[in-house]
Amino acid sequence: MTAYIANHQKKKSLLQKREQELEHALSHGFDDSKLERAAEKVREAKLAVFKALFSQSSVLPPHSYEESEEAIKWRDMPVSEIIRLYSVH
């Protein structure tokens, strides 16, 4: 039995926080460098959620994680596209 039990909800709540930060930056007209940093943080949080979901639903060890098509899409997505996605909200 493992001594550590992962809390996957933390990754999801961090993603929500990062998304709110990006939406806030967009609605208040922050400069491009701050928008890019916020978008990168959203990307990192989104990829962490994909890994957490893999870990939660798989019997394989976490180091055997292979990115899904959705994860690859987010990893390769340009920052400008992430900003555009969240500016629509």
Side-chain angles (χ1 to χ4, degrees), residues 12-28:
K12 292 177 183 177
S13 62
L14 182 63
L15 174 60
Q16 289 177 339
K17 178 182 175 186
R18 298 298 185 213
E19 289 173 332
Q20 289 172 353
E21 289 172 353
L22 178 56
E23 289 169 354
H24 175 79
L26 286 165
S27 67
H28 287 81

Side-chain angles (χ1 to χ4, degrees), residues 51-71:
K51 287 182 182 179
L53 291 174
F54 170 81
S55 175
Q56 186 177 19
S57 63
S58 176
V59 296
L60 299 173
H63 64 78
S64 64
Y65 170 72
E66 291 184 20
E67 293 180 320
S68 64
E69 287 182 30
E70 185 73 12

Side-chain angles (χ1 to χ4, degrees), residues 11-89:
K11 302 290 183 189
K12 292 177 183 177
S13 62
L14 182 63
L15 174 60
Q16 289 177 339
K17 178 182 175 186
R18 298 298 185 213
E19 289 173 332
Q20 289 172 353
E21 289 172 353
L22 178 56
E23 289 169 354
H24 175 79
L26 286 165
S27 67
H28 287 81
F30 287 14
D31 62 34
D32 289 344
S33 64
K34 289 186 179 182
L35 288 175
E36 288 173 3
R37 268 184 281 165
E40 281 294 337
K41 288 182 179 182
V42 168
R43 179 199 325 261
E44 291 171 11
K46 190 79 165 175
L47 293 174
V49 167
F50 288 130
K51 287 182 182 179
L53 291 174
F54 170 81
S55 175
Q56 186 177 19
S57 63
S58 176
V59 296
L60 299 173
H63 64 78
S64 64
Y65 170 72
E66 291 184 20
E67 293 180 320
S68 64
E69 287 182 30
E70 185 73 12
I72 292 170
K73 181 182 107 174
W74 271 92
R75 185 194 67 207
D76 296 339
M77 187 182 299
V79 173
S80 59
E81 179 67 16
I82 296 171
I83 293 170
R84 189 191 65 75
L85 282 173
Y86 285 90
S87 64
V88 174
H89 289 115

